[in-house]
């Protein structure tokens, strides 16, 4: 179980670092796209410090949620989604439940820390983006006032929260993907045996798929997103492919000349 926790935490940390590392690439691509097409800018460099600030803010929330998970086995974010709450061991004794569920609780608690940090990071970055692109307080408000307005009225920006939740899910390898969802449905179609033979599916499969995102496959995903009019998503896909292929190229050169 310890090795699983370490591997999962390392994957989460790498994903969080790559989110920050790809931001300058995204901005460069967005500037080039806007210049070539005459379209509006969608991604801004000022999102980067906001993202770092939000990561630390979200980290505090993540630690609080992790504490709740360790105590109860239930994530605070699941409380509003009853269908996601698992019954747990239910021995009748809190101490027995804790002992039996401890490995899974530790894994989920670690996810809550990274998820909270990623969610906070993306909320801040997207609030910055919203403030730059729109003027919810009128033209006389400063950018800082517009950012604070968005942060104080997040409920009025459901698309922002949805995007942040999806990004946080990706950060902890729990995002919803077509291939992963199909594999999960296939497992569920095999009563009892499916869970026994393949108990852990979403995380390892998403690790593999996210790895492909940083390869040439990322370019294919970007083309598909661009054709569907999802230009921001396309930019993000290209930035991951550029980062991943760049690391591979540098590693190859170091290996060749090393």
């Amino acid at each position: 179980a310890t090795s699983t926790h370490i591997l999962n935490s390392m994957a989460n940390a790498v994903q969080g670092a790559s989110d920050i590392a790809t931001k300058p690439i995204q901005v460069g691509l967005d500037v080039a796209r806007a210049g070539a097409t005459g379209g509006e800018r969608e991604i801004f460099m000022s999102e980067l410090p906001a993202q770092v600030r939000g990561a630390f803010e979200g980290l505090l929330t993540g630690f609080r949620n992790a504490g709740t998970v360790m105590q109860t086995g239930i994530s605070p974010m699941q409380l509003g989604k009853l269908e996601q709450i698992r019954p747990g061991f239910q021995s009748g004794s809190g101490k027995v439940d804790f002992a039996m569920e401890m490995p899974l609780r530790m894994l989920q608690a670690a996810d809550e820390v990274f998820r909270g940090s990623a969610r906070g990071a993306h909320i801040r970055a997207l609030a910055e983006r919203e403030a730059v692109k729109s003027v919810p307080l009128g033209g006389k408000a400063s950018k800082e006032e517009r950012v604070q307005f968005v942060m104080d009225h997040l409920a009025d920006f459901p698309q922002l929260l949805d995007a942040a939740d999806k990004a946080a899910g990706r950060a902890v390898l729990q995002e919803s993907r077509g291939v992963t969802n199909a594999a999960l449905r296939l497992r569920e179609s095999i009563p009892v045996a499916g869970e026994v033979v393949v108990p852990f599916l979403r995380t390892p499969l998403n690790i593999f798929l996210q790895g492909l995102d940083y390869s040439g496959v990322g370019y294919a995903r970007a083309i598909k997103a661009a054709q569907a009019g999802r230009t921001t998503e396309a930019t993000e896909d290209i930035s991951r492919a550029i980062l991943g292929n760049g690391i591979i190229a540098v590693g190859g050169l170091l290996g060749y000349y090393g």
Side-chain angles (χ1 to χ4, degrees):
T2 301
S3 59
T4 301
H5 294 159
I6 294 174
L7 177 61
N8 197 62
S9 295
M10 287 179 61
N12 292 343
V14 169
Q15 180 61 45
S18 69
D19 276 350
I20 294 175
T22 55
K23 183 66 71 176
I25 302 174
Q26 292 172 15
V27 173
L29 291 170
D30 189 61
V31 170
R33 177 201 55 78
T37 64
E40 294 184 356
R41 290 281 309 283
E42 296 181 351
I43 304 174
F44 307 92
M45 188 58 77
S46 60
E47 295 173 24
L48 185 57
Q51 190 167 338
V52 173
R53 174 184 174 182
F56 283 102
E57 292 174 345
L59 197 62
L60 299 177
T61 301
F63 275 117
R64 287 195 294 269
N65 290 346
T68 301
V69 168
M70 291 301 295
Q71 290 178 345
T72 67
I74 299 174
S75 165
M77 293 189 67
Q78 291 178 322
L79 294 177
K81 303 176 181 179
L82 298 180
E83 72 278 3
Q84 293 184 5
I85 298 179
R86 298 181 179 180
F89 194 67
Q90 290 190 324
S91 67
S93 168
K95 293 181 179 179
V96 172
D97 288 350
F98 178 81
M100 297 300 296
E101 297 176 359
M102 185 173 65
L104 291 178
R105 289 192 187 187
M106 290 177 63
L107 191 62
Q108 186 178 0
D111 277 354
E112 287 297 328
V113 173
F114 285 104
R115 184 189 290 270
S117 180
R119 188 173 187 271
H122 286 281
I123 284 178
R124 271 287 176 187
L126 292 171
E128 177 77 17
R129 182 181 301 176
E130 185 69 29
V132 173
K133 290 174 63 176
S134 61
V135 189
L137 291 179
K140 295 182 180 180
S142 67
K143 188 188 71 173
E144 289 72 22
E145 290 174 322
R146 298 200 300 271
V147 170
Q148 193 57 49
F149 175 85
V150 175
M151 293 297 297
D152 291 340
H153 299 83
L154 287 174
D156 296 330
F157 298 87
Q159 291 181 331
L160 184 155
L161 290 175
D162 183 59
D165 285 335
K166 287 181 178 178
R170 178 183 174 83
V172 295
L173 307 166
Q174 297 298 307
E175 79 268 31
S176 178
R177 303 180 71 130
V179 174
T180 305
N181 292 339
L184 290 171
R185 287 194 297 270
L186 177 61
R187 185 184 67 177
E188 292 170 359
S189 68
I190 307 174
V192 183
E195 290 278 356
V196 174
V197 176
V198 191
F200 302 105
L201 183 59
R202 183 185 294 275
T203 297
L205 189 51
N206 278 345
I207 289 176
F208 171 73
L209 293 173
Q210 286 192 18
L212 291 181
D213 291 345
Y214 289 87
S215 70
V217 174
Y219 296 115
R221 285 174 56 88
I223 292 173
K224 183 178 179 180
Q227 290 175 336
R230 302 191 301 271
T231 54
T232 301
E233 181 181 333
T235 301
E236 292 171 349
D237 287 333
I238 295 175
S239 71
R240 295 186 188 106
I242 290 175
L243 178 64
N245 284 284
I247 291 174
I248 292 172
V250 171
L253 287 173
L254 291 176
Y256 181 79
Y257 291 106

